[in-house]
Protein backbone atom coordinates (compact mmCIF):
# COMPACT_ATOMS: atom_id res chain seq x y z
CA UNK A 1 0.00 0.00 0.00
CA UNK A 2 1.39 3.44 -0.89
CA UNK A 3 2.08 6.01 1.77
CA UNK A 4 -0.48 8.39 0.36
CA UNK A 5 -3.12 5.65 0.44
CA UNK A 6 -2.42 5.07 4.09
CA UNK A 7 -2.57 8.74 4.81
CA UNK A 8 -5.93 9.25 3.15
CA UNK A 9 -7.21 6.24 5.05
CA UNK A 10 -6.09 7.82 8.30
CA UNK A 11 -7.65 11.05 7.20
CA UNK A 12 -10.91 9.19 6.62
CA UNK A 13 -10.63 7.50 10.01
CA UNK A 14 -11.22 10.84 11.69
CA UNK A 15 -14.70 10.88 10.23
CA UNK A 16 -15.64 7.31 11.13
CA UNK A 17 -17.11 8.15 14.55
CA UNK A 18 -19.38 10.71 12.95
CA UNK A 19 -20.70 8.17 10.50
CA UNK A 20 -22.03 6.32 13.54
CA UNK A 21 -23.13 9.17 15.75
CA UNK A 22 -24.65 11.51 13.17
CA UNK A 23 -27.69 9.48 12.05
CA UNK A 24 -29.08 9.09 15.59
CA UNK A 25 -28.16 12.68 16.47
CA UNK A 26 -29.79 14.10 13.37
CA UNK A 27 -32.85 12.05 14.22
CA UNK A 28 -32.99 13.53 17.71
CA UNK A 29 -32.40 17.02 16.35
CA UNK A 30 -35.34 16.70 13.95
CA UNK A 31 -37.83 14.93 16.21
CA UNK A 32 -36.83 16.15 19.67
CA UNK A 33 -34.70 19.28 19.90
CA UNK A 34 -36.01 21.21 16.93
CA UNK A 35 -39.58 20.70 18.20
CA UNK A 36 -38.43 21.72 21.66
CA UNK A 37 -36.89 24.93 20.31
CA UNK A 38 -39.97 25.56 18.24
CA UNK A 39 -42.21 25.11 21.25
CA UNK A 40 -40.16 27.77 23.03
CA UNK A 41 -40.66 30.11 20.07
CA UNK A 42 -44.38 29.29 19.88
CA UNK A 43 -44.83 30.38 23.47
CA UNK A 44 -44.18 33.93 22.22
CA UNK A 45 -46.83 33.69 19.48
CA UNK A 46 -50.59 33.66 19.33
CA UNK A 47 -50.66 30.41 17.29
CA UNK A 48 -54.07 28.75 17.13
CA UNK A 49 -54.92 25.22 16.09
CA UNK A 50 -56.66 26.24 12.85
CA UNK A 51 -53.32 27.28 11.41
CA UNK A 52 -50.58 25.82 13.58
CA UNK A 53 -47.75 26.90 11.31
CA UNK A 54 -48.68 30.56 11.27
CA UNK A 55 -48.75 32.48 14.51
CA UNK A 56 -48.03 36.14 15.08
CA UNK A 57 -45.19 37.05 17.45
CA UNK A 58 -46.74 38.67 20.51
CA UNK A 59 -43.74 38.88 22.81
CA UNK A 60 -44.55 38.06 26.40
CA UNK A 61 -48.31 38.24 25.85
CA UNK A 62 -48.94 34.59 26.73
CA UNK A 63 -46.81 34.78 29.83
CA UNK A 64 -48.55 37.95 31.00
CA UNK A 65 -51.87 36.15 30.75
CA UNK A 66 -50.39 33.03 32.34
CA UNK A 67 -49.02 34.84 35.37
CA UNK A 68 -52.38 36.52 35.96
CA UNK A 69 -54.32 33.29 35.72
CA UNK A 70 -55.12 31.59 39.04
CA UNK A 71 -55.59 28.33 37.10
CA UNK A 72 -51.90 28.43 36.22
CA UNK A 73 -50.82 28.77 39.84
CA UNK A 74 -53.18 25.99 40.81
CA UNK A 75 -51.70 23.79 38.10
CA UNK A 76 -48.16 24.57 39.25
CA UNK A 77 -49.13 23.79 42.84
CA UNK A 78 -50.83 20.53 41.85
CA UNK A 79 -47.76 19.48 39.86
CA UNK A 80 -45.43 20.16 42.79
CA UNK A 81 -47.67 18.52 45.41
CA UNK A 82 -48.29 15.51 43.18
CA UNK A 83 -44.59 15.11 42.39
CA UNK A 84 -43.31 15.54 45.93
CA UNK A 85 -45.91 13.21 47.46
CA UNK A 86 -45.39 10.58 44.75
CA UNK A 87 -41.65 10.60 45.42
CA UNK A 88 -41.96 10.50 49.21
CA UNK A 89 -44.66 7.83 49.40
CA UNK A 90 -43.48 5.82 46.38
CA UNK A 91 -39.86 5.67 47.47
CA UNK A 92 -40.74 4.87 51.10
CA UNK A 93 -43.09 2.05 50.15
CA UNK A 94 -40.69 0.70 47.54
CA UNK A 95 -37.89 0.71 50.10
CA UNK A 96 -40.04 -1.07 52.69
CA UNK A 97 -41.12 -3.68 50.14
CA UNK A 98 -37.54 -4.30 49.06
CA UNK A 99 -36.35 -4.77 52.64
CA UNK A 100 -39.31 -7.06 53.37
CA UNK A 101 -38.52 -9.49 50.55
CA UNK A 102 -34.73 -9.15 50.44
CA UNK A 103 -34.01 -12.26 52.55
CA UNK A 104 -34.95 -15.61 51.05
CA UNK A 105 -38.27 -17.21 52.00
CA UNK A 106 -40.59 -19.76 50.48
CA UNK A 107 -42.46 -18.40 47.46
CA UNK A 108 -40.22 -15.34 47.21
CA UNK A 109 -40.07 -15.28 43.42
CA UNK A 110 -43.87 -15.43 43.15
CA UNK A 111 -44.23 -12.63 45.69
CA UNK A 112 -41.63 -10.59 43.84
CA UNK A 113 -43.53 -11.05 40.56
CA UNK A 114 -46.87 -10.02 42.09
CA UNK A 115 -45.33 -6.97 43.71
CA UNK A 116 -44.17 -5.84 40.27
CA UNK A 117 -47.64 -5.94 38.68
CA UNK A 118 -48.34 -2.24 39.12
CA UNK A 119 -45.16 -1.35 37.29
CA UNK A 120 -45.67 -3.84 34.45
CA UNK A 121 -49.32 -3.05 33.62
CA UNK A 122 -49.69 -0.41 30.85
CA UNK A 123 -50.87 2.98 32.12
CA UNK A 124 -54.14 2.93 30.18
CA UNK A 125 -55.06 -0.53 31.49
CA UNK A 126 -54.14 0.54 35.02
CA UNK A 127 -56.37 3.59 34.66
CA UNK A 128 -59.31 1.49 33.48
CA UNK A 129 -59.15 -1.01 36.31
CA UNK A 130 -58.77 1.71 38.95
CA UNK A 131 -61.62 3.70 37.38
CA UNK A 132 -63.80 0.66 37.91
CA UNK A 133 -62.56 0.15 41.45
CA UNK A 134 -63.22 3.84 42.20
CA UNK A 135 -66.69 3.69 40.60
CA UNK A 136 -69.03 5.44 42.99
CA UNK A 137 -72.02 3.13 42.67
CA UNK A 138 -70.57 -0.30 41.83
CA UNK A 139 -66.86 -0.05 42.62
CA UNK A 140 -65.28 -2.38 45.14
CA UNK A 141 -63.86 0.44 47.28
CA UNK A 142 -67.26 1.96 47.98
CA UNK A 143 -68.83 -1.46 48.47
CA UNK A 144 -66.29 -2.19 51.19
CA UNK A 145 -66.63 1.32 52.62
CA UNK A 146 -70.40 0.89 52.85
CA UNK A 147 -70.04 -2.55 54.36
CA UNK A 148 -67.97 -1.21 57.23
CA UNK A 149 -70.31 1.74 57.66
CA UNK A 150 -68.23 4.56 56.19
CA UNK A 151 -70.67 5.31 53.38
CA UNK A 152 -69.77 6.16 49.82
CA UNK A 153 -66.87 8.32 48.72
CA UNK A 154 -66.58 10.43 45.57
CA UNK A 155 -63.08 9.16 44.97
CA UNK A 156 -62.50 10.97 41.69
CA UNK A 157 -65.14 13.68 41.61
CA UNK A 158 -64.59 15.44 44.92
CA UNK A 159 -61.84 18.02 45.34
CA UNK A 160 -61.07 16.44 48.73
CA UNK A 161 -60.18 13.00 47.42
CA UNK A 162 -59.35 13.26 43.70
CA UNK A 163 -55.66 14.09 44.04
CA UNK A 164 -55.27 11.44 46.73
CA UNK A 165 -56.89 8.83 44.50
CA UNK A 166 -54.66 9.73 41.55
CA UNK A 167 -51.69 9.58 43.91
CA UNK A 168 -52.68 6.13 45.13
CA UNK A 169 -52.74 4.78 41.57
CA UNK A 170 -49.41 6.45 40.80
CA UNK A 171 -47.78 4.99 43.89
CA UNK A 172 -49.14 1.58 42.90
CA UNK A 173 -47.25 2.04 39.63
CA UNK A 174 -43.94 3.50 40.83
CA UNK A 175 -43.30 1.82 44.21
CA UNK A 176 -42.61 -1.58 42.53
CA UNK A 177 -40.01 0.08 40.36
CA UNK A 178 -38.27 1.59 43.38
CA UNK A 179 -38.39 -1.84 45.00
CA UNK A 180 -36.69 -3.37 41.96
CA UNK A 181 -33.87 -0.84 41.99
CA UNK A 182 -33.33 -1.14 45.75
CA UNK A 183 -33.40 -4.95 45.61
CA UNK A 184 -30.58 -4.90 43.07
CA UNK A 185 -28.59 -2.57 45.30
CA UNK A 186 -29.22 -4.71 48.38
CA UNK A 187 -27.36 -7.56 46.68
CA UNK A 188 -24.22 -5.46 46.90
CA UNK A 189 -24.34 -5.36 50.71
CA UNK A 190 -21.63 -7.78 51.86
CA UNK A 191 -23.11 -10.64 53.84
CA UNK A 192 -20.13 -10.75 56.26
CA UNK A 193 -20.67 -7.16 57.30
CA UNK A 194 -24.31 -7.81 58.10
CA UNK A 195 -23.41 -10.96 60.02
CA UNK A 196 -20.70 -9.12 61.94
CA UNK A 197 -23.16 -6.44 62.97
CA UNK A 198 -25.60 -9.10 64.11
CA UNK A 199 -22.95 -10.90 66.18
CA UNK A 200 -21.98 -7.62 67.79
CA UNK A 201 -25.55 -7.49 69.01
CA UNK A 202 -26.74 -4.63 66.82
CA UNK A 203 -30.52 -4.47 66.53
CA UNK A 204 -32.06 -4.57 63.03
CA UNK A 205 -32.70 -0.83 62.89
CA UNK A 206 -29.16 0.24 63.71
CA UNK A 207 -27.80 -2.46 61.38
CA UNK A 208 -29.92 -0.95 58.65
CA UNK A 209 -28.74 2.57 59.37
CA UNK A 210 -25.06 1.74 59.74
CA UNK A 211 -24.58 -1.03 57.18
CA UNK A 212 -27.40 -1.29 54.66
CA UNK A 213 -28.41 2.31 54.08
CA UNK A 214 -25.00 3.61 52.97
CA UNK A 215 -24.86 0.83 50.38
CA UNK A 216 -28.25 1.48 48.87
CA UNK A 217 -28.30 5.27 49.14
CA UNK A 218 -27.13 5.91 45.53
CA UNK A 219 -29.80 3.52 44.23
CA UNK A 220 -32.50 5.22 46.30
CA UNK A 221 -31.39 8.61 45.01
CA UNK A 222 -31.47 7.43 41.42
CA UNK A 223 -34.93 5.93 41.90
CA UNK A 224 -36.12 9.18 43.49
CA UNK A 225 -34.83 11.17 40.52
CA UNK A 226 -36.57 8.92 38.02
CA UNK A 227 -39.83 8.98 39.95
CA UNK A 228 -39.61 12.79 40.06
CA UNK A 229 -39.07 13.03 36.32
CA UNK A 230 -41.87 10.58 35.58
CA UNK A 231 -44.27 12.43 37.88
CA UNK A 232 -43.70 15.66 35.97
CA UNK A 233 -44.15 13.78 32.69
CA UNK A 234 -47.12 11.59 33.61
CA UNK A 235 -50.21 12.10 31.50
CA UNK A 236 -52.25 8.96 30.85
CA UNK A 237 -53.30 8.03 34.39
CA UNK A 238 -54.21 11.56 35.48
CA UNK A 239 -56.01 12.40 32.26
CA UNK A 240 -58.03 9.20 32.22
CA UNK A 241 -58.89 9.10 35.92
CA UNK A 242 -59.99 12.70 36.39
CA UNK A 243 -59.26 14.68 33.22
CA UNK A 244 -57.56 17.20 35.50
CA UNK A 245 -60.72 17.84 37.47
CA UNK A 246 -62.67 18.38 39.61
CA UNK A 247 -62.14 22.15 39.48
CA UNK A 248 -58.54 21.71 38.38
CA UNK A 249 -57.59 19.87 41.57
CA UNK A 250 -55.58 17.28 39.61
CA UNK A 251 -54.58 19.35 36.58
CA UNK A 252 -50.81 19.07 36.37
CA UNK A 253 -48.90 21.23 33.88
CA UNK A 254 -48.81 18.41 31.35
CA UNK A 255 -52.57 17.82 31.49
CA UNK A 256 -53.18 21.57 31.33
CA UNK A 257 -50.89 21.90 28.31
CA UNK A 258 -52.68 19.22 26.35
CA UNK A 259 -56.10 20.65 27.22
CA UNK A 260 -55.13 24.21 26.37
CA UNK A 261 -53.80 23.04 23.02
CA UNK A 262 -56.37 20.51 21.86
CA UNK A 263 -59.52 21.46 23.75
CA UNK A 264 -58.92 25.23 24.01
CA UNK A 265 -57.19 25.33 20.60
CA UNK A 266 -54.63 27.86 21.84
CA UNK A 267 -51.29 26.41 20.81
CA UNK A 268 -49.31 29.52 21.76
CA UNK A 269 -50.76 29.52 25.27
CA UNK A 270 -50.18 25.78 25.60
CA UNK A 271 -46.54 26.37 24.64
CA UNK A 272 -46.27 28.87 27.47
CA UNK A 273 -47.34 26.09 29.84
CA UNK A 274 -44.71 23.95 28.16
CA UNK A 275 -42.03 26.58 28.76
CA UNK A 276 -42.79 26.47 32.48
CA UNK A 277 -42.69 22.67 32.34
CA UNK A 278 -39.29 22.80 30.66
CA UNK A 279 -37.91 25.09 33.37
CA UNK A 280 -39.18 22.60 35.96
CA UNK A 281 -37.63 19.63 34.12
CA UNK A 282 -34.30 21.44 33.72
CA UNK A 283 -34.31 22.30 37.41
CA UNK A 284 -34.69 18.63 38.31
CA UNK A 285 -31.95 17.69 35.83
CA UNK A 286 -29.62 20.32 37.31
CA UNK A 287 -30.23 19.10 40.85
CA UNK A 288 -29.50 15.56 39.72
CA UNK A 289 -26.35 16.71 37.92
CA UNK A 290 -24.98 18.49 40.99
CA UNK A 291 -25.81 15.52 43.24
CA UNK A 292 -24.13 13.16 40.79
CA UNK A 293 -20.97 15.29 40.65
CA UNK A 294 -20.80 15.32 44.43
CA UNK A 295 -21.25 11.57 44.56
CA UNK A 296 -18.46 11.06 42.01
CA UNK A 297 -16.19 13.24 44.12
CA UNK A 298 -17.01 11.27 47.26
CA UNK A 299 -16.34 7.99 45.50
CA UNK A 300 -13.00 9.09 44.08
CA UNK A 301 -11.81 10.16 47.53
CA UNK B 1 -34.80 -13.17 72.68
CA UNK B 2 -36.58 -16.01 70.92
CA UNK B 3 -40.17 -14.75 71.24
CA UNK B 4 -39.05 -11.33 70.02
CA UNK B 5 -37.46 -12.92 66.97
CA UNK B 6 -40.65 -14.83 66.32
CA UNK B 7 -42.67 -11.63 66.57
CA UNK B 8 -40.40 -9.87 64.06
CA UNK B 9 -40.76 -12.82 61.70
CA UNK B 10 -44.55 -12.79 62.04
CA UNK B 11 -44.69 -9.05 61.44
CA UNK B 12 -42.51 -9.45 58.37
CA UNK B 13 -44.83 -12.06 56.86
CA UNK B 14 -47.84 -9.92 57.72
CA UNK B 15 -46.22 -6.99 55.91
CA UNK B 16 -45.44 -9.14 52.87
CA UNK B 17 -49.03 -10.38 52.87
CA UNK B 18 -50.44 -6.85 52.92
CA UNK B 19 -48.09 -5.73 50.16
CA UNK B 20 -49.00 -8.71 47.97
CA UNK B 21 -52.72 -7.98 48.38
CA UNK B 22 -52.39 -4.27 47.63
CA UNK B 23 -50.07 -4.80 44.66
CA UNK B 24 -51.85 -7.80 43.21
CA UNK B 25 -55.50 -7.05 43.87
CA UNK B 26 -56.10 -4.62 40.97
CA UNK B 27 -54.88 -7.18 38.45
CA UNK B 28 -56.92 -9.94 40.10
CA UNK B 29 -59.93 -7.61 40.04
CA UNK B 30 -59.36 -6.87 36.35
CA UNK B 31 -59.59 -10.60 35.63
CA UNK B 32 -62.64 -11.29 37.80
CA UNK B 33 -64.48 -8.21 36.53
CA UNK B 34 -63.96 -9.44 33.00
CA UNK B 35 -65.60 -12.73 34.03
CA UNK B 36 -68.66 -11.04 35.51
CA UNK B 37 -71.79 -10.45 33.45
CA UNK B 38 -72.72 -6.81 32.99
CA UNK B 39 -76.01 -7.58 34.74
CA UNK B 40 -73.97 -8.57 37.77
CA UNK B 41 -71.64 -5.57 37.60
CA UNK B 42 -74.35 -2.95 37.39
CA UNK B 43 -77.19 -4.85 39.03
CA UNK B 44 -77.08 -7.79 41.38
CA UNK B 45 -73.51 -7.08 42.44
CA UNK B 46 -70.06 -8.17 41.35
CA UNK B 47 -68.92 -11.69 42.19
CA UNK B 48 -65.48 -11.52 43.76
CA UNK B 49 -64.12 -14.86 42.58
CA UNK B 50 -63.35 -15.88 39.01
CA UNK B 51 -66.50 -17.23 37.34
CA UNK B 52 -64.81 -19.35 34.73
CA UNK B 53 -68.20 -20.51 33.45
CA UNK B 54 -68.70 -16.98 32.09
CA UNK B 55 -65.70 -17.25 29.82
CA UNK B 56 -67.82 -17.88 26.68
CA UNK B 57 -69.85 -14.73 27.47
CA UNK B 58 -66.64 -12.74 27.74
CA UNK B 59 -65.41 -14.07 24.40
CA UNK B 60 -68.65 -13.18 22.64
CA UNK B 61 -68.68 -9.74 24.28
CA UNK B 62 -65.12 -9.09 23.18
CA UNK B 63 -66.53 -9.40 19.67
CA UNK B 64 -68.22 -6.03 20.24
CA UNK B 65 -64.87 -4.33 20.85
CA UNK B 66 -62.49 -4.06 17.85
CA UNK B 67 -59.68 -5.26 20.10
CA UNK B 68 -58.13 -7.36 17.32
CA UNK B 69 -57.66 -4.37 15.03
CA UNK B 70 -56.43 -2.21 17.92
CA UNK B 71 -53.87 -4.79 18.99
CA UNK B 72 -52.71 -5.14 15.39
CA UNK B 73 -52.14 -1.38 15.16
CA UNK B 74 -50.40 -1.47 18.54
CA UNK B 75 -48.16 -4.23 17.24
CA UNK B 76 -47.23 -2.22 14.12
CA UNK B 77 -46.44 0.88 16.19
CA UNK B 78 -44.41 -1.07 18.75
CA UNK B 79 -42.51 -3.19 16.22
CA UNK B 80 -41.75 -0.28 13.88
CA UNK B 81 -40.48 1.78 16.79
CA UNK B 82 -38.35 -1.10 18.04
CA UNK B 83 -36.60 -1.63 14.69
CA UNK B 84 -35.89 2.07 14.30
CA UNK B 85 -34.68 2.68 17.84
CA UNK B 86 -32.48 -0.44 17.90
CA UNK B 87 -30.86 0.51 14.58
CA UNK B 88 -30.16 4.10 15.57
CA UNK B 89 -29.45 3.15 19.19
CA UNK B 90 -26.78 0.59 18.28
CA UNK B 91 -25.03 3.14 16.04
CA UNK B 92 -25.02 5.73 18.81
CA UNK B 93 -24.09 3.13 21.44
CA UNK B 94 -21.13 1.92 19.38
CA UNK B 95 -19.88 5.45 18.74
CA UNK B 96 -20.08 6.32 22.45
CA UNK B 97 -18.51 3.04 23.53
CA UNK B 98 -15.59 2.86 21.07
CA UNK B 99 -14.64 6.31 19.81
CA UNK B 100 -13.35 9.59 21.10
CA UNK B 101 -14.69 12.48 19.06
CA UNK B 102 -15.47 16.16 19.26
CA UNK B 103 -18.83 16.84 20.84
CA UNK B 104 -19.04 13.52 22.68
CA UNK B 105 -19.91 15.30 25.90
CA UNK B 106 -22.66 17.19 24.15
CA UNK B 107 -24.11 13.97 22.74
CA UNK B 108 -24.24 12.55 26.26
CA UNK B 109 -25.97 15.70 27.47
CA UNK B 110 -28.56 15.53 24.67
CA UNK B 111 -29.28 11.90 25.40
CA UNK B 112 -29.72 12.66 29.08
CA UNK B 113 -32.02 15.57 28.24
CA UNK B 114 -34.41 13.32 26.34
CA UNK B 115 -35.01 11.46 29.60
CA UNK B 116 -35.98 14.59 31.52
CA UNK B 117 -38.13 16.38 28.96
CA UNK B 118 -41.84 15.56 29.24
CA UNK B 119 -43.30 14.19 26.00
CA UNK B 120 -46.03 16.81 26.22
CA UNK B 121 -43.50 19.59 25.60
CA UNK B 122 -43.01 18.58 21.98
CA UNK B 123 -46.65 17.63 21.41
CA UNK B 124 -47.68 20.95 19.88
CA UNK B 125 -44.65 21.52 17.59
CA UNK B 126 -44.77 17.89 16.41
CA UNK B 127 -48.45 18.35 15.63
CA UNK B 128 -47.63 21.41 13.52
CA UNK B 129 -44.73 19.62 11.84
CA UNK B 130 -46.80 16.53 11.08
CA UNK B 131 -49.48 18.67 9.42
CA UNK B 132 -46.82 20.15 7.13
CA UNK B 133 -45.36 16.78 6.16
CA UNK B 134 -48.61 14.84 5.98
CA UNK B 135 -47.65 12.68 8.95
CA UNK B 136 -50.68 13.55 11.05
CA UNK B 137 -53.15 10.71 11.38
CA UNK B 138 -50.51 8.22 10.25
CA UNK B 139 -48.80 5.37 12.07
CA UNK B 140 -45.48 6.50 10.55
CA UNK B 141 -45.69 9.87 12.23
CA UNK B 142 -46.52 8.26 15.55
CA UNK B 143 -43.57 5.86 15.29
CA UNK B 144 -41.20 8.73 14.45
CA UNK B 145 -42.40 10.64 17.50
CA UNK B 146 -42.11 7.65 19.85
CA UNK B 147 -38.58 6.73 18.77
CA UNK B 148 -37.23 10.09 19.94
CA UNK B 149 -37.81 8.82 23.48
CA UNK B 150 -36.99 5.12 23.08
CA UNK B 151 -33.79 5.56 21.01
CA UNK B 152 -31.76 7.06 23.89
CA UNK B 153 -32.81 4.25 26.21
CA UNK B 154 -31.82 1.62 23.63
CA UNK B 155 -28.54 3.49 23.21
CA UNK B 156 -27.83 3.46 26.96
CA UNK B 157 -28.57 -0.24 27.31
CA UNK B 158 -26.51 -1.21 24.23
CA UNK B 159 -23.58 1.08 25.10
CA UNK B 160 -23.40 -0.52 28.54
CA UNK B 161 -23.27 -3.97 26.98
CA UNK B 162 -20.65 -2.92 24.40
CA UNK B 163 -18.45 -1.42 27.11
CA UNK B 164 -18.22 -4.90 28.59
CA UNK B 165 -16.95 -6.40 25.32
CA UNK B 166 -13.10 -6.33 25.34
CA UNK B 167 -11.52 -4.29 22.55
CA UNK B 168 -9.17 -7.19 21.64
CA UNK B 169 -12.11 -9.05 20.14
CA UNK B 170 -12.53 -6.52 17.35
CA UNK B 171 -8.89 -5.45 17.16
CA UNK B 172 -7.73 -8.03 14.59
CA UNK B 173 -10.70 -7.29 12.36
CA UNK B 174 -9.90 -3.58 12.47
CA UNK B 175 -6.22 -4.22 11.61
CA UNK B 176 -7.42 -6.30 8.65
CA UNK B 177 -9.22 -3.17 7.45
CA UNK B 178 -12.65 -4.60 8.03
CA UNK B 179 -15.11 -1.67 7.82
CA UNK B 180 -16.19 -0.51 11.28
CA UNK B 181 -19.82 -0.93 10.38
CA UNK B 182 -19.21 -4.63 9.71
CA UNK B 183 -17.28 -4.89 12.97
CA UNK B 184 -20.40 -3.64 14.72
CA UNK B 185 -22.87 -5.88 12.90
CA UNK B 186 -20.76 -9.05 12.53
CA UNK B 187 -18.71 -9.07 15.74
CA UNK B 188 -20.16 -6.84 18.45
CA UNK B 189 -23.92 -7.20 18.04
CA UNK B 190 -23.92 -11.03 18.06
CA UNK B 191 -22.00 -10.90 21.35
CA UNK B 192 -24.54 -8.74 23.16
CA UNK B 193 -27.75 -10.49 22.15
CA UNK B 194 -29.23 -10.57 25.70
CA UNK B 195 -28.89 -6.79 25.94
CA UNK B 196 -30.32 -6.33 22.46
CA UNK B 197 -33.29 -8.39 23.59
CA UNK B 198 -33.69 -6.22 26.69
CA UNK B 199 -33.43 -3.01 24.66
CA UNK B 200 -35.95 -4.45 22.20
CA UNK B 201 -38.43 -5.26 24.98
CA UNK B 202 -38.11 -1.78 26.46
CA UNK B 203 -38.55 -0.05 23.08
CA UNK B 204 -41.37 -2.37 22.09
CA UNK B 205 -43.42 -1.75 25.21
CA UNK B 206 -42.70 1.97 25.17
CA UNK B 207 -44.58 1.94 21.87
CA UNK B 208 -47.14 -0.60 23.09
CA UNK B 209 -48.10 1.49 26.14
CA UNK B 210 -47.84 4.95 24.60
CA UNK B 211 -50.99 7.04 24.90
CA UNK B 212 -50.34 10.81 24.74
CA UNK B 213 -48.95 10.99 21.20
CA UNK B 214 -51.29 8.31 19.85
CA UNK B 215 -54.41 10.00 21.23
CA UNK B 216 -53.33 13.35 19.77
CA UNK B 217 -51.95 12.37 16.37
CA UNK B 218 -54.41 9.65 15.30
CA UNK B 219 -57.96 10.74 14.47
CA UNK B 220 -58.97 7.79 12.33
CA UNK B 221 -60.55 5.10 14.54
CA UNK B 222 -59.15 2.41 12.26
CA UNK B 223 -55.61 3.50 13.11
CA UNK B 224 -56.10 3.55 16.87
CA UNK B 225 -53.83 1.39 18.99
CA UNK B 226 -55.32 -0.46 21.94
CA UNK B 227 -54.30 2.26 24.41
CA UNK B 228 -56.40 4.89 22.60
CA UNK B 229 -59.21 2.47 21.80
CA UNK B 230 -59.56 1.31 25.39
CA UNK B 231 -59.34 4.88 26.69
CA UNK B 232 -62.24 5.85 24.42
CA UNK B 233 -64.56 3.97 26.78
CA UNK B 234 -63.72 6.31 29.65
CA UNK B 235 -66.61 8.59 30.49
CA UNK B 236 -69.17 6.60 28.53
CA UNK B 237 -72.40 5.90 30.36
CA UNK B 238 -72.73 2.25 31.44
CA UNK B 239 -69.57 1.05 29.77
CA UNK B 240 -69.60 -2.69 28.95
CA UNK B 241 -67.10 -3.09 31.78
CA UNK B 242 -66.45 -6.82 31.50
CA UNK B 243 -65.55 -6.55 27.82
CA UNK B 244 -63.44 -3.43 28.37
CA UNK B 245 -61.48 -4.93 31.25
CA UNK B 246 -61.21 -8.25 29.39
CA UNK B 247 -59.66 -6.38 26.48
CA UNK B 248 -57.48 -4.40 28.88
CA UNK B 249 -56.25 -7.68 30.33
CA UNK B 250 -55.38 -9.04 26.89
CA UNK B 251 -53.56 -5.78 26.24
CA UNK B 252 -51.70 -5.98 29.58
CA UNK B 253 -50.62 -9.62 29.56
CA UNK B 254 -47.73 -9.34 27.06
CA UNK B 255 -46.39 -6.32 28.94
CA UNK B 256 -46.61 -8.11 32.30
CA UNK B 257 -44.92 -11.25 30.97
CA UNK B 258 -42.04 -9.47 29.24
CA UNK B 259 -41.38 -6.94 31.98
CA UNK B 260 -41.20 -9.73 34.54
CA UNK B 261 -38.80 -11.62 32.26
CA UNK B 262 -36.35 -8.75 31.82
CA UNK B 263 -36.77 -7.01 35.20
CA UNK B 264 -33.16 -7.56 36.24
CA UNK B 265 -31.75 -6.44 32.91
CA UNK B 266 -33.77 -3.23 33.16
CA UNK B 267 -32.25 -2.35 36.49
CA UNK B 268 -28.77 -3.11 35.14
CA UNK B 269 -29.35 -0.68 32.27
CA UNK B 270 -30.59 1.90 34.72
CA UNK B 271 -27.29 3.16 36.00
CA UNK B 272 -26.95 5.08 32.75
CA UNK B 273 -30.46 6.12 31.80
CA UNK B 274 -34.14 6.01 32.54
CA UNK B 275 -36.20 3.11 31.29
CA UNK B 276 -39.92 2.82 31.81
CA UNK B 277 -42.24 5.41 33.26
Amino acid sequence: MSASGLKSRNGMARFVPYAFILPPMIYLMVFMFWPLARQMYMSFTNTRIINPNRGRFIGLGNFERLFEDPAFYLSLKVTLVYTVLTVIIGVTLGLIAALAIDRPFKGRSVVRAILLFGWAVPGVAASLIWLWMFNERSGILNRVAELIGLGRFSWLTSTDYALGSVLAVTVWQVAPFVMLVVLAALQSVPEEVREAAKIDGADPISTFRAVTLPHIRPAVQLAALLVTVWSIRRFDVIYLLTGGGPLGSTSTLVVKLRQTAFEGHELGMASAYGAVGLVLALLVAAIHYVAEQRRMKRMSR
Amino acid sequence: MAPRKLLIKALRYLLIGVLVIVAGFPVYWMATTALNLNSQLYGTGQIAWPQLQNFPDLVSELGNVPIGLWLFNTLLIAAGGTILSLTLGSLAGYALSRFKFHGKGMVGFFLFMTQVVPEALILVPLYAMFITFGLLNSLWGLILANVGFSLPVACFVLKGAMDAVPYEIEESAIIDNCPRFSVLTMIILPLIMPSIAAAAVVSFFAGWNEFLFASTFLMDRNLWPASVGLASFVGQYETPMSAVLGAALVFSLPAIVFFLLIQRKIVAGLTTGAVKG
Side-chain angles (χ1 to χ4, degrees), chain A residues 3-18:
Chain A
S4 67
L6 240 178
K7 198 176 173 194
S8 77
R9 191 170 287 279
N10 280 342
M12 287 294 285
R14 277 178 47 214
F15 297 105
V16 170
Y18 298 102

Side-chain angles (χ1 to χ4, degrees), chain A residues 1 9 13 16-21 23-25 27-36 38-40 42 49 52-53 93 96-97 99-106 111-126 128-133 135 137-140 143 172-173 176-177 180-181 184-185 187 203-204 222 225-226 229-230 232-236 239-241 254 257-258 261-262 267-268 270-271 273-275 277-279 281-282 284-286 288-289 292, chain B residues 4 8 12-13 15-16 19-20 22-27 29-30 33 40-46 84 88-92 94-96 99-103 107 109-132 135 143-149 151-152 177 180-181 184 208-212 215-217 226-228 230-231 233-234 238 241 244-245 248-249 251-252 255-256 259-260 263-264 266-267 270-271 273-277:
Chain A
M1 192 182 288
R9 191 170 287 279
V16 170
Y18 298 102
F20 284 89
I21 200 66
M25 279 305 123
Y27 189 95
L28 287 182
M29 285 303 148
V30 173
F31 292 106
M32 175 82 65
F33 293 103
W34 165 246
L36 207 55
R38 185 139 177 235
Q39 114 102 30
M40 287 301 111
M42 280 170 107
I49 205 162
N53 287 307
L93 277 179
I96 290 175
L99 291 169
I101 69 164
D102 179 41
R103 329 263 56 210
F105 59 91
K106 221 174 155 196
V111 165
R112 184 186 161 118
I114 293 175
L115 292 187
L116 288 174
F117 277 178
W119 164 70
V121 170
V124 170
L128 286 169
I129 179 59
W130 280 93
L131 267 174
W132 176 242
M133 287 173 27
N135 187 293
R137 207 165 60 86
S138 321
I140 176 74
R143 293 229 162 153
W172 182 69
Q173 291 184 298
F177 173 79
L180 203 53
V181 176
Q187 286 173 356
D203 61 288
L222 178 68
L225 167 81
L226 292 173
V229 169
W230 294 339
I232 298 174
R233 285 167 95 155
R234 185 165 286 102
F235 174 75
D236 49 9
Y239 183 75
L240 292 176
L241 285 178
V254 164
L257 186 162
R258 154 79 195 242
F262 296 98
L267 299 189
S271 300
Y273 270 101
L278 184 66
V279 170
L282 287 178
V284 173
H288 170 69
Y289 184 77
E292 193 72 355
Chain B
R4 196 175 154 225
I8 289 177
R12 178 163 164 250
Y13 282 113
L15 175 65
I16 292 173
L19 289 173
V20 165
V22 173
F25 182 78
V27 174
W29 206 238
M30 178 151 64
T33 309
Q40 291 172 320
L41 293 179
Y42 293 108
T44 53
Q46 179 161 2
L84 196 54
L88 292 169
S90 57
L91 290 176
Y94 188 71
L96 290 174
F99 297 114
K100 280 201 173 84
F101 54 90
H102 280 291
V107 168
F109 175 72
F110 278 141
L111 290 173
F112 172 68
M113 276 296 293
T114 63
Q115 301 305 296
V116 208
V117 171
E119 295 86 338
L121 294 200
I122 59 169
L123 190 68
V124 167
L126 276 183
Y127 181 86
M129 182 171 153
F130 284 177
I131 287 184
T132 311
L135 287 167
I143 290 171
L144 290 171
N146 285 344
V147 168
F149 290 92
L151 182 176
N177 275 326
R180 287 306 276 263
F181 183 73
L184 170 63
W208 183 273
N209 296 348
E210 206 284 325
F211 174 68
L212 176 60
S215 66
T216 308
F217 297 148
S227 61
V228 180
L230 287 169
F233 286 105
V234 172
E238 299 255 317
M241 234 346 133
V244 171
L245 288 183
L249 190 62
F251 172 58
S252 303
I256 296 177
F259 273 118
L260 292 185
Q263 40 169 302
R264 285 180 176 85
I266 286 191
V267 173
L270 253 177
T271 40
V275 178
K276 175 188 186 277

